[in-house]
Amino acid sequence: MSGKKTLFYSTDLEIHFGGLYALQKINIDILENEILGLIGPNGSGKTTFFNVITGIYKPTAGDITYKGESLLGKEPYQISRMGISRTYQSSRLCLELSLLDNVLIGMHNRQKQGYFSAIFSRRKMIAEVADFQDRVVELLDVFNPDLKERMFRPVGELPQIDRRRVEVCRAMAAEPTIILLDEPSAGMTPDETRELMEDIRKVRASMSDVSIMIIEHDMSVISSVSERVIAINFGEEIARGTYEEVAGTPAVREAYLGKEVVHE
Amino acid sequence: MTKYIVVAAVEILVYAFFIFFLSVESAWILVATLVLIAGLVLARRFMPNRTQIVVDAFKSSRAFVLGLGAVLLLLFPIVASVVLRQGTYWMLVLIQTMIYLMVALGLNFQLGSTGMMNLATAAFYGVGAYAAGMLSLRLGLPAILTLPAAGVIAAAFGLILSVPIYKTKGHYLALVTLAFGYMIVLALDNTAFTGGAQGLMNIPEIRIFGYSFIRPLAGMHFYANYFYLATILLAATVAVFYRLQNSWVGLSLTTIRDDEIAAKCSGVNTAVWKLGAFATGNFFMGVAGALYAHMIGFISPPNFQFIESLVIVSIVILGGMDNLLGITLGAVILVLLPEKMRVITEYRVLIYGVLIVAMLIFRPRGLLPFKPREYHRSLLNRLRGGSK
Ligand SMILES: Nc1ncnc2c1ncn2[C@@H]1O[C@H](COP(=O)(O)OP(=O)(O)OP(=O)(O)O)[C@@H](O)[C@H]1O
Ligand SMILES: [Mg+2]
């Protein structure tokens, strides 16, 4: 590995639901400014790992350290404030809200105006809204200018592919240090996937020092974007290294046999 | 210029029809009104271009629309005293409608904006009424203090439910509030301190700077005083909720409503926001209760039973969640209209039940559904202009 610093690591992380061990002895680290791919067959514990990081699930054992601080016992909103944002495997957008609002909520942590100015100082509130809306427009300009024309439409009226884009945008709008992407291209055609990855790359280039951890079933995506790959199965790590190294591991081939075709 | 004429003409016509509606004794006027409304809806549907002029006129002159509406509303006590045979009665009905509307707007902030069902609205409204009654009877506090104090106390009572509010979801919260509402009414019924089943009597009328509200106002019944106060309080309530909705507050709350996990992971401290929304909604219910207590002068536990909460919920569901205009419409339909047809009052619960079920089946999002937030017109135009 190069001289990048470790931003985040889990130590012997473990979680079980009743008798089911969804994660066992997971030691995963993310370096500054890297793209890490997380792969594994269905039900192997990938999404669960994201849920533990973001504080939705409390781990049964082990620890998570981010910027030298433990994330254990922290609420999801606190973890978000520390600079970790995410997308979800099945979309979690607010379908009745406009595209703009769905991205604006991603900037929640930087809002200065609150209850008081909402009621008593509308001018201040509207000025901040205007300022943030401009930033969303700038973000969309880089990410995918086509979305700008649909800014005021309720997200529920947009096609599936745009919704996934909006979700990525919302996560990026937080200007996080780590972005967790859970199958961002689920339900997309290969072309659409390529386009989305290109969009993500563009925004990433415009932001400084953001690490990405990406879960993907589409191996072509993983192989083209990630610098490092970790494979898990039944909640345990089975391989790590470059994509080629991981794909060549017998345990990985075995795990995927009959489920996914591993590109060589 | 023509837009102002169009708006003025429409508003004055509607107002005139409304007065006419109140003056006609026969219940057939309800049927006639329904036919008229159906006609207007059909006209809008089949002649979208011609009716668009009216819609545009209203949309493009919001200040004028509200201003003229306010003037017409303020003229009501005078018009009612002069034109209507039962002017005083209708004045009271309109005050009642405004009070219910305040409570419904409070509930809307909890249910419509944040997705928290509250089936104890009447009980919280009752807490406000009792708080105002006790504070003025026992401590001799003036109304200028009892009104806000009643709001704060109703909010504090809501916060007793803190744990279920931030821990439970959907239907559980509904059940918890339902039980809590019963408990409050039961407690009021059995506590000597609050007057027990007899309730509180002889609650002093409102006095502001020595001006007593039971004095006739310029020859009109003293209700006119309360009518004006209710109008002011309602206007303030609408303004506060409009501003909250069109701000980061509204955005955070609707995100919690639509997807709590997404809200949390975006940094929203959902527990605090939900408690804040619950307390805010309750505050306005409490103030409404205080106004009622001072006006009527007599309150007792049956006034605040579950059935009244049901009316409030119906207003929000019928009108449209998170749509202030829709909820106003809901209050007019469910509080004012039944007074026109006394027959209805006997079957009130049944009709509300049928209405809610029908709405949930045919128009689940209410008469006027939630619309994406605009925050402020200037922002919209700026971005539209900028993106071209
Ligand atoms: N809240 C929960 N309660 C019980 N079991 C759970 C819970 N969440 C996840 N699991 C189980 O944990 C295991 C791992 O699930 P997870 O969603 O993390 O898999 P995944 O790797 O993301 O799979 P996929 O590729 O299908 O998304 C599965 O067996 C799942 O059923
Ligand atoms: Mg998953």
Side-chain angles (χ1 to χ4, degrees), chain A residues 8 53 63-66 69-74 79 82 84:
Chain A
F8 165 105
I53 297 176
D63 200 356
I64 305 172
T65 312
Y66 167 66
E69 206 181 324
S70 170
L71 293 185
L72 288 197
K74 290 218 157 50
I79 292 168
M82 294 171 74
I84 299 180

Side-chain angles (χ1 to χ4, degrees), chain A residues 54 56 76-77 80-81 84-86 88 91-98 100-101 104-106 108-109 111-115 118-122 125-126 128-130 132-134 137 148 151-152 154 170, chain B residues 109 240 242-244 246-249 251-270 273 276-277 280 365 370-376 378-380 382-384 386-387:
Chain A
T54 50
I56 292 172
Y77 79 89
S80 149
R81 282 181 197 174
I84 299 180
S85 67
R86 67 173 293 186
Y88 307 85
S91 165
R92 286 191 174 278
L93 292 171
C94 303
L95 299 184
E96 293 191 0
L97 303 194
S98 64
L100 198 55
D101 267 3
L104 281 171
I105 194 67
H108 179 84
N109 293 331
Q111 293 169 359
K112 296 220 165 50
Q113 309 302 327
Y115 240 81
I119 302 175
F120 299 107
S121 169
R122 191 154 160 78
M125 174 59 77
I126 295 304
E128 188 170 280
V129 172
F132 278 32
Q133 285 186 342
D134 287 344
V137 173
K148 279 204 302 182
M151 259 188 318
F152 300 103
R170 178 174 69 186
Chain B
F109 200 57
V240 165
Y242 178 81
R243 287 173 166 215
L244 285 175
N246 286 282
S247 75
W248 294 149
V249 178
L251 176 62
S252 300
L253 296 182
T254 32
T255 308
I256 292 173
R257 175 193 71 194
D258 288 356
D259 198 315
E260 200 164 336
I261 289 188
K264 281 182 184 170
C265 291
S266 301
V268 181
N269 187 348
T270 51
W273 283 96
T280 308
R365 303 174 67 229
F370 173 77
K371 287 217 186 73
R373 202 182 320 278
E374 288 181 358
Y375 297 100
H376 196 262
S378 65
L379 298 182
L380 207 64
R382 203 178 52 113
L383 285 187
R384 287 244 162 86
S387 66

Side-chain angles (χ1 to χ4, degrees), chain A residues 156-211:
Chain A
E157 290 176 9
L158 303 183
Q160 203 60 39
I161 168 161
D162 281 342
R163 293 190 201 177
R164 300 227 64 117
R165 290 190 175 120
V166 173
E167 211 165 355
V168 174
C169 262
R170 178 174 69 186
M172 300 229 172
E175 293 182 13
T177 320
I178 301 181
I179 299 187
L180 310 173
L181 300 174
D182 195 346
E183 292 190 38
S185 74
M188 289 188 177
T189 65
D191 276 348
E192 289 170 342
T193 306
R194 218 164 296 136
E195 205 184 316
L196 179 73
M197 288 303 142
E198 199 42 53
D199 291 344
I200 291 178
R201 234 187 302 237
K202 275 185 296 182
V203 178
R204 187 164 178 270
S206 75
M207 288 162 68
S208 57
D209 292 340
V210 54
S211 307

